[in-house]
Amino acid sequence: MIKLKKGCGNTMKNCAKKYISLFLAIVCSFCFAFSVPVFANENAQATPQTEQAMTGDEAAKYLDAAVLLIMSRYKFDTSRESIYKDTLRTLLKEHPELLETVLESMFGSLDKYSTYYTQEELDSFFNAVSSEFCGIGVIITTVDEGLFVTKVYDNSPAKIAGLMIGDIIIKVDDISLAGVDVSVAQSKIQGPEDTAVNLTIKRGDSCFEINPIRKKVIIEPGFYQAIENDTIGYISLSDFYDHTNDMINAALESFDSKGIKDIIIDLRNNPGGSLKVLVEMCNHFIPAGPVIHLDYKNPFNNYTFYSENPEVKYNLAVLVNGNSASASEAFAAAVKDTRVGIIVGENTFGKGTMQNVVDFKVIGGVKITEAEFLSPNRNKINEIGVAPDVEVEDKVVEYHHSNFEKITYDRVMKPGDTGKDVFAVEERLYYLGFEIGVPDEVFDEKTAEAVFNFQKYTDLYPYGQADITTQLKLEEVLNGGKVTENNTFKKAVEIFKSGTWKNYLPRE
């Protein structure tokens, strides 16, 4: 990591502005002082000027003006490219401490997914794509204000500190996250184990601070479950990273043993991930043929990935929303183009590009957009997204108990119990973001674990049984709050139960 020289001011950017302004002042003084033949001004006296601080925008305008002047009046051959290149190289030779600032500006001027990483940020990026790291245990996506929380893992520092789905992390240690690359933001949240990180959270109209203690977090790729009396399979995927294919293999083995052919794949709030994992997913569900085309700057580098699946065994309903991005969009597009299923929900995010990370070894590295990906039918996804076949919105509404199964408060529920009252407890735990799976009227080990975590979170005695106090507490926590309706899931179940999913396929 290159260090700042002493005396360069508070930041690299201030330092850069200082030297660039100095360079421009010299260039501009020569350009404008000698606007007539130089031999006619040998005795000209410079007019005293009042010294005034130059802003960054003003400096940029002077730079453009200086280059324009050279291109329009300079006697000998030159080019804009050589002017900028030679100027920048000279500046860096004299002030190498500005390199990081230059690289940050250079890659920041490209599309919003290309960025420069310091060494610390690069290390954090590689940790983020691993299934283990020291962080707070959330899945996030970028919004204008900062980081939108799409998932909070049970027993995680975030859950213990009170972070909830739908919260927006707007600051970390007083550093604003508005407009910050998600990987850079992650690098600021992650850190050494057992250290605290200060986060400013926006929840609705209110803001508050939390200080979760970083821990090693093991990220699960999602979960699967047979629902509707073992007639429909449900797979929830949180991303396309490590262990995803192992979970899909286990899910399909379980569904095959039950004779399940209709499968709901929930990709809502899935930010994407690995291209390799995407292709593995497609090999389970997409018929043999192209699944994604990569379109590079050099057409000789263009490449198509294929599915080698000899038999289509399943009917799919893929659930998406505006936070389904990248690989999750590519999978939805492959399902749509090959007509092996329907897309249910809202238009996806529209992130149809592929980035590669280049490690500079000494001064960090860069993430650069190298290709745009297209659907099997070569439909564009970037900045467009994937439109649903069945449009459904999961609205955020005020909680009201009448919209949920009624809690009866007439027994202590424990593992092995079944019934509508079990469903009522599971349903509320689900909407609070606890790992409950799909509410199914069965108080199993997963339900007991979710009850235990809720009790721990709300300072009740944690023992995993839904006693009357716990049931009252569930209602108390939800009252006055907001919940996200699960209309997309309900619509997919309804379509499969009616046997009409093919009616929603677009006409060929």
Side-chain angles (χ1 to χ4, degrees), residues 401-417:
H401 63 84
S402 63
N403 296 327
F404 287 69
E405 187 69 40
K406 184 179 180 180
I407 294 184
T408 57
Y409 307 110
D410 60 3
R411 67 165 170 162
V412 176
M413 285 167 267
K414 55 187 181 300
D417 288 342

Side-chain angles (χ1 to χ4, degrees), residues 289-294 301-306 376 378:
V291 295
I292 187 171
H293 305 283
L294 298 184
N301 292 334
N302 290 353
Y303 193 82
T304 298
F305 286 90
Y306 292 86
R378 296 191 177 277

